[in-house]
PDB file of all heavy atoms in Angstrom:
ATOM      1  N   GLY Q 268      97.976  85.756 129.426  1.00 97.00           N
ATOM      2  CA  GLY Q 268      98.561  85.667 128.093  1.00 97.00           C
ATOM      3  C   GLY Q 268      97.513  85.700 126.994  1.00 97.00           C
ATOM      4  O   GLY Q 268      96.394  86.169 127.196  1.00 97.00           O
ATOM      5  N   ALA Q 269      97.903  85.195 125.826  1.00 97.00           N
ATOM      6  CA  ALA Q 269      96.985  85.152 124.687  1.00 97.00           C
ATOM      7  C   ALA Q 269      97.397  84.020 123.763  1.00 97.00           C
ATOM      8  O   ALA Q 269      98.584  83.698 123.634  1.00 97.00           O
ATOM      9  CB  ALA Q 269      97.004  86.473 123.927  1.00 97.00           C
ATOM     10  N   THR Q 270      96.409  83.410 123.127  1.00 95.00           N
ATOM     11  CA  THR Q 270      96.651  82.381 122.122  1.00 95.00           C
ATOM     12  C   THR Q 270      95.720  82.648 120.954  1.00 95.00           C
ATOM     13  O   THR Q 270      94.533  82.902 121.135  1.00 95.00           O
ATOM     14  CB  THR Q 270      96.378  80.970 122.674  1.00 95.00           C
ATOM     15  OG1 THR Q 270      97.145  80.760 123.853  1.00 95.00           O
ATOM     16  CG2 THR Q 270      96.744  79.907 121.659  1.00 95.00           C
ATOM     17  N   ASP Q 271      96.279  82.611 119.738  1.00 94.00           N
ATOM     18  CA  ASP Q 271      95.462  82.858 118.550  1.00 94.00           C
ATOM     19  C   ASP Q 271      95.862  81.878 117.466  1.00 94.00           C
ATOM     20  O   ASP Q 271      96.937  81.271 117.510  1.00 94.00           O
ATOM     21  CB  ASP Q 271      95.654  84.298 118.060  1.00 94.00           C
ATOM     22  CG  ASP Q 271      94.526  84.752 117.137  1.00 94.00           C
ATOM     23  OD1 ASP Q 271      93.558  83.983 116.957  1.00 94.00           O
ATOM     24  OD2 ASP Q 271      94.616  85.870 116.602  1.00 94.00           O
ATOM     25  N   TYR Q 272      94.961  81.698 116.512  1.00 92.00           N
ATOM     26  CA  TYR Q 272      95.204  80.842 115.360  1.00 92.00           C
ATOM     27  C   TYR Q 272      94.894  81.641 114.115  1.00 92.00           C
ATOM     28  O   TYR Q 272      93.853  82.298 114.038  1.00 92.00           O
ATOM     29  CB  TYR Q 272      94.297  79.597 115.420  1.00 92.00           C
ATOM     30  CG  TYR Q 272      94.351  78.784 114.145  1.00 92.00           C
ATOM     31  CD1 TYR Q 272      95.290  77.768 113.992  1.00 92.00           C
ATOM     32  CD2 TYR Q 272      93.487  79.056 113.091  1.00 92.00           C
ATOM     33  CE1 TYR Q 272      95.352  77.048 112.820  1.00 92.00           C
ATOM     34  CE2 TYR Q 272      93.544  78.336 111.916  1.00 92.00           C
ATOM     35  CZ  TYR Q 272      94.474  77.333 111.775  1.00 92.00           C
ATOM     36  OH  TYR Q 272      94.547  76.619 110.613  1.00 92.00           O
ATOM     37  N   ILE Q 273      95.813  81.612 113.138  1.00 93.00           N
ATOM     38  CA  ILE Q 273      95.529  82.293 111.870  1.00 93.00           C
ATOM     39  C   ILE Q 273      95.610  81.289 110.727  1.00 93.00           C
ATOM     40  O   ILE Q 273      96.464  80.399 110.715  1.00 93.00           O
ATOM     41  CB  ILE Q 273      96.468  83.497 111.627  1.00 93.00           C
ATOM     42  CG1 ILE Q 273      97.931  83.084 111.579  1.00 93.00           C
ATOM     43  CG2 ILE Q 273      96.256  84.552 112.687  1.00 93.00           C
ATOM     44  CD1 ILE Q 273      98.866  84.245 111.250  1.00 93.00           C
ATOM     45  N   ASP Q 274      94.693  81.444 109.811  1.00 93.00           N
ATOM     46  CA  ASP Q 274      94.625  80.598 108.628  1.00 93.00           C
ATOM     47  C   ASP Q 274      95.474  81.269 107.551  1.00 93.00           C
ATOM     48  O   ASP Q 274      95.035  82.219 106.897  1.00 93.00           O
ATOM     49  CB  ASP Q 274      93.166  80.463 108.185  1.00 93.00           C
ATOM     50  CG  ASP Q 274      92.987  79.524 107.004  1.00 93.00           C
ATOM     51  OD1 ASP Q 274      93.981  78.914 106.575  1.00 93.00           O
ATOM     52  OD2 ASP Q 274      91.845  79.403 106.506  1.00 93.00           O
ATOM     53  N   ALA Q 275      96.708  80.828 107.393  1.00 93.00           N
ATOM     54  CA  ALA Q 275      97.631  81.440 106.440  1.00 93.00           C
ATOM     55  C   ALA Q 275      98.603  80.378 105.940  1.00 93.00           C
ATOM     56  O   ALA Q 275      98.736  79.304 106.529  1.00 93.00           O
ATOM     57  CB  ALA Q 275      98.382  82.608 107.088  1.00 93.00           C
ATOM     58  N   ASP Q 276      99.280  80.701 104.841  1.00 93.00           N
ATOM     59  CA  ASP Q 276     100.145  79.757 104.148  1.00 93.00           C
ATOM     60  C   ASP Q 276     101.604  80.118 104.371  1.00 93.00           C
ATOM     61  O   ASP Q 276     102.002  81.281 104.208  1.00 93.00           O
ATOM     62  CB  ASP Q 276      99.821  79.792 102.645  1.00 93.00           C
ATOM     63  CG  ASP Q 276     100.431  78.630 101.885  1.00 93.00           C
ATOM     64  OD1 ASP Q 276     101.540  78.200 102.234  1.00 93.00           O
ATOM     65  OD2 ASP Q 276      99.805  78.169 100.910  1.00 93.00           O
ATOM     66  N   LEU Q 277     102.424  79.123 104.714  1.00 94.00           N
ATOM     67  CA  LEU Q 277     103.861  79.324 104.891  1.00 94.00           C
ATOM     68  C   LEU Q 277     104.492  79.972 103.665  1.00 94.00           C
ATOM     69  O   LEU Q 277     105.467  80.719 103.788  1.00 94.00           O
ATOM     70  CB  LEU Q 277     104.521  77.972 105.182  1.00 94.00           C
ATOM     71  CG  LEU Q 277     106.048  77.912 105.276  1.00 94.00           C
ATOM     72  CD1 LEU Q 277     106.560  78.810 106.395  1.00 94.00           C
ATOM     73  CD2 LEU Q 277     106.501  76.469 105.498  1.00 94.00           C
ATOM     74  N   HIS Q 278     103.941  79.704 102.490  1.00 95.00           N
ATOM     75  CA  HIS Q 278     104.498  80.269 101.260  1.00 95.00           C
ATOM     76  C   HIS Q 278     104.288  81.784 101.162  1.00 95.00           C
ATOM     77  O   HIS Q 278     104.836  82.415 100.266  1.00 95.00           O
ATOM     78  CB  HIS Q 278     103.865  79.607 100.032  1.00 95.00           C
ATOM     79  CG  HIS Q 278     104.257  78.166  99.853  1.00 95.00           C
ATOM     80  ND1 HIS Q 278     103.667  77.150 100.571  1.00 95.00           N
ATOM     81  CD2 HIS Q 278     105.180  77.581  99.044  1.00 95.00           C
ATOM     82  CE1 HIS Q 278     104.198  75.993 100.199  1.00 95.00           C
ATOM     83  NE2 HIS Q 278     105.115  76.228  99.283  1.00 95.00           N
ATOM     84  N   ASP Q 279     103.497  82.356 102.060  1.00 97.00           N
ATOM     85  CA  ASP Q 279     103.188  83.786 102.032  1.00 97.00           C
ATOM     86  C   ASP Q 279     103.604  84.423 103.352  1.00 97.00           C
ATOM     87  O   ASP Q 279     102.768  84.743 104.189  1.00 97.00           O
ATOM     88  CB  ASP Q 279     101.683  83.972 101.784  1.00 97.00           C
ATOM     89  CG  ASP Q 279     101.293  85.425 101.578  1.00 97.00           C
ATOM     90  OD1 ASP Q 279     102.184  86.294 101.596  1.00 97.00           O
ATOM     91  OD2 ASP Q 279     100.082  85.691 101.402  1.00 97.00           O
ATOM     92  N   PRO Q 280     104.917  84.605 103.562  1.00 98.00           N
ATOM     93  CA  PRO Q 280     105.385  85.107 104.858  1.00 98.00           C
ATOM     94  C   PRO Q 280     104.874  86.498 105.186  1.00 98.00           C
ATOM     95  O   PRO Q 280     104.696  86.833 106.365  1.00 98.00           O
ATOM     96  CB  PRO Q 280     106.908  85.083 104.720  1.00 98.00           C
ATOM     97  CG  PRO Q 280     107.176  85.067 103.252  1.00 98.00           C
ATOM     98  CD  PRO Q 280     106.034  84.312 102.648  1.00 98.00           C
ATOM     99  N   GLY Q 281     104.620  87.332 104.167  1.00 98.00           N
ATOM    100  CA  GLY Q 281     104.100  88.669 104.430  1.00 98.00           C
ATOM    101  C   GLY Q 281     102.757  88.627 105.128  1.00 98.00           C
ATOM    102  O   GLY Q 281     102.526  89.351 106.104  1.00 98.00           O
ATOM    103  N   THR Q 282     101.866  87.773 104.632  1.00 97.00           N
ATOM    104  CA  THR Q 282     100.550  87.637 105.253  1.00 97.00           C
ATOM    105  C   THR Q 282     100.671  87.038 106.651  1.00 97.00           C
ATOM    106  O   THR Q 282      99.988  87.472 107.589  1.00 97.00           O
ATOM    107  CB  THR Q 282      99.635  86.763 104.384  1.00 97.00           C
ATOM    108  OG1 THR Q 282      99.422  87.420 103.135  1.00 97.00           O
ATOM    109  CG2 THR Q 282      98.296  86.510 105.063  1.00 97.00           C
ATOM    110  N   VAL Q 283     101.549  86.051 106.807  1.00 98.00           N
ATOM    111  CA  VAL Q 283     101.752  85.447 108.129  1.00 98.00           C
ATOM    112  C   VAL Q 283     102.147  86.512 109.146  1.00 98.00           C
ATOM    113  O   VAL Q 283     101.567  86.614 110.232  1.00 98.00           O
ATOM    114  CB  VAL Q 283     102.828  84.338 108.060  1.00 98.00           C
ATOM    115  CG1 VAL Q 283     103.226  83.902 109.466  1.00 98.00           C
ATOM    116  CG2 VAL Q 283     102.320  83.148 107.257  1.00 98.00           C
ATOM    117  N   LEU Q 284     103.135  87.338 108.789  1.00 98.00           N
ATOM    118  CA  LEU Q 284     103.606  88.361 109.721  1.00 98.00           C
ATOM    119  C   LEU Q 284     102.541  89.417 109.988  1.00 98.00           C
ATOM    120  O   LEU Q 284     102.355  89.852 111.129  1.00 98.00           O
ATOM    121  CB  LEU Q 284     104.882  89.003 109.181  1.00 98.00           C
ATOM    122  CG  LEU Q 284     106.112  88.094 109.152  1.00 98.00           C
ATOM    123  CD1 LEU Q 284     107.225  88.732 108.334  1.00 98.00           C
ATOM    124  CD2 LEU Q 284     106.597  87.780 110.567  1.00 98.00           C
ATOM    125  N   ARG Q 285     101.841  89.829 108.942  1.00 98.00           N
ATOM    126  CA  ARG Q 285     100.808  90.852 109.123  1.00 98.00           C
ATOM    127  C   ARG Q 285      99.700  90.357 110.044  1.00 98.00           C
ATOM    128  O   ARG Q 285      99.274  91.071 110.960  1.00 98.00           O
ATOM    129  CB  ARG Q 285     100.226  91.243 107.759  1.00 98.00           C
ATOM    130  CG  ARG Q 285      99.196  92.385 107.861  1.00 98.00           C
ATOM    131  CD  ARG Q 285      98.628  92.756 106.514  1.00 98.00           C
ATOM    132  NE  ARG Q 285      97.825  91.699 105.916  1.00 98.00           N
ATOM    133  CZ  ARG Q 285      98.198  90.983 104.865  1.00 98.00           C
ATOM    134  NH1 ARG Q 285      99.380  91.187 104.287  1.00 98.00           N
ATOM    135  NH2 ARG Q 285      97.403  90.045 104.382  1.00 98.00           N
ATOM    136  N   GLU Q 286      99.238  89.132 109.822  1.00 97.00           N
ATOM    137  CA  GLU Q 286      98.163  88.606 110.655  1.00 97.00           C
ATOM    138  C   GLU Q 286      98.648  88.312 112.080  1.00 97.00           C
ATOM    139  O   GLU Q 286      97.916  88.528 113.048  1.00 97.00           O
ATOM    140  CB  GLU Q 286      97.591  87.335 110.012  1.00 97.00           C
ATOM    141  CG  GLU Q 286      96.871  87.579 108.694  1.00 97.00           C
ATOM    142  CD  GLU Q 286      95.693  88.511 108.848  1.00 97.00           C
ATOM    143  OE1 GLU Q 286      94.891  88.317 109.779  1.00 97.00           O
ATOM    144  OE2 GLU Q 286      95.572  89.453 108.041  1.00 97.00           O
ATOM    145  N   ALA Q 287      99.887  87.842 112.198  1.00 98.00           N
ATOM    146  CA  ALA Q 287     100.423  87.557 113.530  1.00 98.00           C
ATOM    147  C   ALA Q 287     100.550  88.824 114.362  1.00 98.00           C
ATOM    148  O   ALA Q 287     100.427  88.785 115.602  1.00 98.00           O
ATOM    149  CB  ALA Q 287     101.782  86.873 113.412  1.00 98.00           C
ATOM    150  N   SER Q 288     100.776  89.950 113.685  1.00 98.00           N
ATOM    151  CA  SER Q 288     100.968  91.213 114.414  1.00 98.00           C
ATOM    152  C   SER Q 288      99.703  91.674 115.127  1.00 98.00           C
ATOM    153  O   SER Q 288      99.754  92.586 115.951  1.00 98.00           O
ATOM    154  CB  SER Q 288     101.449  92.302 113.448  1.00 98.00           C
ATOM    155  OG  SER Q 288     100.427  92.683 112.537  1.00 98.00           O
ATOM    156  N   ARG Q 289      98.559  91.047 114.837  1.00 97.00           N
ATOM    157  CA  ARG Q 289      97.335  91.393 115.556  1.00 97.00           C
ATOM    158  C   ARG Q 289      97.400  90.921 117.013  1.00 97.00           C
ATOM    159  O   ARG Q 289      96.723  91.463 117.879  1.00 97.00           O
ATOM    160  CB  ARG Q 289      96.121  90.755 114.863  1.00 97.00           C
ATOM    161  CG  ARG Q 289      95.896  91.215 113.427  1.00 97.00           C
ATOM    162  CD  ARG Q 289      94.754  90.427 112.795  1.00 97.00           C
ATOM    163  NE  ARG Q 289      94.595  90.720 111.389  1.00 97.00           N
ATOM    164  CZ  ARG Q 289      93.830  91.694 110.890  1.00 97.00           C
ATOM    165  NH1 ARG Q 289      93.135  92.451 111.729  1.00 97.00           N
ATOM    166  NH2 ARG Q 289      93.738  91.897 109.591  1.00 97.00           N
ATOM    167  N   THR Q 290      98.217  89.886 117.257  1.00 98.00           N
ATOM    168  CA  THR Q 290      98.348  89.331 118.606  1.00 98.00           C
ATOM    169  C   THR Q 290      99.738  89.555 119.188  1.00 98.00           C
ATOM    170  O   THR Q 290      99.879  89.765 120.403  1.00 98.00           O
ATOM    171  CB  THR Q 290      98.045  87.817 118.582  1.00 98.00           C
ATOM    172  OG1 THR Q 290      96.705  87.616 118.096  1.00 98.00           O
ATOM    173  CG2 THR Q 290      98.163  87.197 119.964  1.00 98.00           C
ATOM    174  N   LEU Q 291     100.755  89.511 118.336  1.00 98.00           N
ATOM    175  CA  LEU Q 291     102.140  89.652 118.776  1.00 98.00           C
ATOM    176  C   LEU Q 291     102.645  91.062 118.518  1.00 98.00           C
ATOM    177  O   LEU Q 291     102.263  91.696 117.525  1.00 98.00           O
ATOM    178  CB  LEU Q 291     103.040  88.652 118.048  1.00 98.00           C
ATOM    179  CG  LEU Q 291     102.639  87.179 118.103  1.00 98.00           C
ATOM    180  CD1 LEU Q 291     103.639  86.335 117.324  1.00 98.00           C
ATOM    181  CD2 LEU Q 291     102.523  86.688 119.543  1.00 98.00           C
ATOM    182  N   ASP Q 292     103.510  91.545 119.376  1.00 98.00           N
ATOM    183  CA  ASP Q 292     104.194  92.822 119.183  1.00 98.00           C
ATOM    184  C   ASP Q 292     105.504  92.530 118.459  1.00 98.00           C
ATOM    185  O   ASP Q 292     106.467  92.054 119.068  1.00 98.00           O
ATOM    186  CB  ASP Q 292     104.455  93.484 120.536  1.00 98.00           C
ATOM    187  CG  ASP Q 292     105.209  94.803 120.413  1.00 98.00           C
ATOM    188  OD1 ASP Q 292     105.580  95.191 119.287  1.00 98.00           O
ATOM    189  OD2 ASP Q 292     105.442  95.436 121.458  1.00 98.00           O
ATOM    190  N   LEU Q 293     105.536  92.806 117.157  1.00 98.00           N
ATOM    191  CA  LEU Q 293     106.698  92.442 116.358  1.00 98.00           C
ATOM    192  C   LEU Q 293     107.859  93.412 116.527  1.00 98.00           C
ATOM    193  O   LEU Q 293     108.862  93.300 115.812  1.00 98.00           O
ATOM    194  CB  LEU Q 293     106.312  92.315 114.881  1.00 98.00           C
ATOM    195  CG  LEU Q 293     105.243  91.256 114.570  1.00 98.00           C
ATOM    196  CD1 LEU Q 293     105.096  91.064 113.067  1.00 98.00           C
ATOM    197  CD2 LEU Q 293     105.550  89.934 115.257  1.00 98.00           C
ATOM    198  N   THR Q 294     107.755  94.343 117.479  1.00 98.00           N
ATOM    199  CA  THR Q 294     108.916  95.148 117.847  1.00 98.00           C
ATOM    200  C   THR Q 294     109.670  94.502 119.010  1.00 98.00           C
ATOM    201  O   THR Q 294     110.736  94.970 119.397  1.00 98.00           O
ATOM    202  CB  THR Q 294     108.513  96.580 118.249  1.00 98.00           C
ATOM    203  OG1 THR Q 294     107.788  96.546 119.484  1.00 98.00           O
ATOM    204  CG2 THR Q 294     107.658  97.230 117.174  1.00 98.00           C
ATOM    205  N   GLN Q 295     109.087  93.424 119.568  1.00 98.00           N
ATOM    206  CA  GLN Q 295     109.695  92.703 120.675  1.00 98.00           C
ATOM    207  C   GLN Q 295     110.044  91.278 120.224  1.00 98.00           C
ATOM    208  O   GLN Q 295     109.429  90.737 119.299  1.00 98.00           O
ATOM    209  CB  GLN Q 295     108.738  92.656 121.870  1.00 98.00           C
ATOM    210  CG  GLN Q 295     108.385  94.026 122.431  1.00 98.00           C
ATOM    211  CD  GLN Q 295     109.607  94.757 122.965  1.00 98.00           C
ATOM    212  OE1 GLN Q 295     110.428  94.173 123.676  1.00 98.00           O
ATOM    213  NE2 GLN Q 295     109.746  96.035 122.603  1.00 98.00           N
ATOM    214  N   PRO Q 296     111.038  90.635 120.859  1.00 98.00           N
ATOM    215  CA  PRO Q 296     111.484  89.315 120.395  1.00 98.00           C
ATOM    216  C   PRO Q 296     110.357  88.292 120.283  1.00 98.00           C
ATOM    217  O   PRO Q 296     109.448  88.244 121.110  1.00 98.00           O
ATOM    218  CB  PRO Q 296     112.512  88.907 121.457  1.00 98.00           C
ATOM    219  CG  PRO Q 296     113.050  90.210 121.962  1.00 98.00           C
ATOM    220  CD  PRO Q 296     111.873  91.137 121.973  1.00 98.00           C
ATOM    221  N   VAL Q 297     110.467  87.487 119.243  1.00 98.00           N
ATOM    222  CA  VAL Q 297     109.508  86.420 118.961  1.00 98.00           C
ATOM    223  C   VAL Q 297     110.306  85.151 118.678  1.00 98.00           C
ATOM    224  O   VAL Q 297     111.342  85.203 118.003  1.00 98.00           O
ATOM    225  CB  VAL Q 297     108.632  86.756 117.744  1.00 98.00           C
ATOM    226  CG1 VAL Q 297     107.717  85.583 117.378  1.00 98.00           C
ATOM    227  CG2 VAL Q 297     107.813  88.018 117.990  1.00 98.00           C
ATOM    228  N   ALA Q 298     109.834  84.014 119.158  1.00 98.00           N
ATOM    229  CA  ALA Q 298     110.425  82.728 118.803  1.00 98.00           C
ATOM    230  C   ALA Q 298     109.595  82.113 117.683  1.00 98.00           C
ATOM    231  O   ALA Q 298     108.397  81.851 117.854  1.00 98.00           O
ATOM    232  CB  ALA Q 298     110.467  81.799 120.006  1.00 98.00           C
ATOM    233  N   LEU Q 299     110.219  81.910 116.530  1.00 98.00           N
ATOM    234  CA  LEU Q 299     109.586  81.277 115.383  1.00 98.00           C
ATOM    235  C   LEU Q 299     109.888  79.781 115.440  1.00 98.00           C
ATOM    236  O   LEU Q 299     111.057  79.381 115.507  1.00 98.00           O
ATOM    237  CB  LEU Q 299     110.142  81.879 114.093  1.00 98.00           C
ATOM    238  CG  LEU Q 299     109.779  81.175 112.780  1.00 98.00           C
ATOM    239  CD1 LEU Q 299     108.290  81.270 112.501  1.00 98.00           C
ATOM    240  CD2 LEU Q 299     110.592  81.772 111.623  1.00 98.00           C
ATOM    241  N   THR Q 300     108.863  78.949 115.435  1.00 98.00           N
ATOM    242  CA  THR Q 300     109.069  77.505 115.456  1.00 98.00           C
ATOM    243  C   THR Q 300     108.579  76.891 114.152  1.00 98.00           C
ATOM    244  O   THR Q 300     107.460  77.144 113.708  1.00 98.00           O
ATOM    245  CB  THR Q 300     108.359  76.834 116.652  1.00 98.00           C
ATOM    246  OG1 THR Q 300     106.944  76.929 116.496  1.00 98.00           O
ATOM    247  CG2 THR Q 300     108.766  77.487 117.964  1.00 98.00           C
ATOM    248  N   LEU Q 301     109.451  76.082 113.550  1.00 98.00           N
ATOM    249  CA  LEU Q 301     109.160  75.367 112.301  1.00 98.00           C
ATOM    250  C   LEU Q 301     109.582  73.916 112.514  1.00 98.00           C
ATOM    251  O   LEU Q 301     110.763  73.585 112.426  1.00 98.00           O
ATOM    252  CB  LEU Q 301     109.924  75.981 111.128  1.00 98.00           C
ATOM    253  CG  LEU Q 301     109.566  77.414 110.742  1.00 98.00           C
ATOM    254  CD1 LEU Q 301     110.615  77.994 109.809  1.00 98.00           C
ATOM    255  CD2 LEU Q 301     108.188  77.457 110.079  1.00 98.00           C
ATOM    256  N   MET Q 302     108.628  73.063 112.792  1.00 96.00           N
ATOM    257  CA  MET Q 302     108.914  71.677 113.128  1.00 96.00           C
ATOM    258  C   MET Q 302     108.407  70.742 112.035  1.00 96.00           C
ATOM    259  O   MET Q 302     107.200  70.583 111.857  1.00 96.00           O
ATOM    260  CB  MET Q 302     108.262  71.310 114.473  1.00 96.00           C
ATOM    261  CG  MET Q 302     108.679  72.213 115.633  1.00 96.00           C
ATOM    262  SD  MET Q 302     110.407  71.947 116.070  1.00 96.00           S
ATOM    263  CE  MET Q 302     110.767  73.466 116.963  1.00 96.00           C
ATOM    264  N   GLN Q 303     109.335  70.171 111.273  1.00 96.00           N
ATOM    265  CA  GLN Q 303     108.980  69.213 110.233  1.00 96.00           C
ATOM    266  C   GLN Q 303     107.986  69.807 109.232  1.00 96.00           C
ATOM    267  O   GLN Q 303     107.005  69.177 108.851  1.00 96.00           O
ATOM    268  CB  GLN Q 303     108.414  67.928 110.856  1.00 96.00           C
ATOM    269  CG  GLN Q 303     109.429  67.114 111.634  1.00 96.00           C
ATOM    270  CD  GLN Q 303     110.372  66.302 110.766  1.00 96.00           C
ATOM    271  OE1 GLN Q 303     109.966  65.785 109.724  1.00 96.00           O
ATOM    272  NE2 GLN Q 303     111.625  66.190 111.185  1.00 96.00           N
TER     273      GLN Q 303
END
């Protein structure tokens, strides 16, 4: 598998998705977790 960490702000979802796409294939299902 793979594990990555990105330094990004929840208030900027565009940047979150763009940076996450370096590790995740956003054409395939993803589980988004938002805990507290």
Side-chain angles (χ1 to χ4, degrees):
T270 305
D271 199 5
Y272 171 90
I273 60 176
D274 184 4
D276 193 325
L277 174 60
H278 291 80
D279 187 2
T282 296
V283 169
L284 292 168
R285 184 180 66 251
E286 293 300 313
S288 69
R289 299 175 186 271
T290 300
L291 306 180
D292 178 357
L293 300 189
T294 68
Q295 298 298 315
V297 175
L299 170 66
T300 67
L301 296 166
M302 304 291 160
Q303 292 283 324

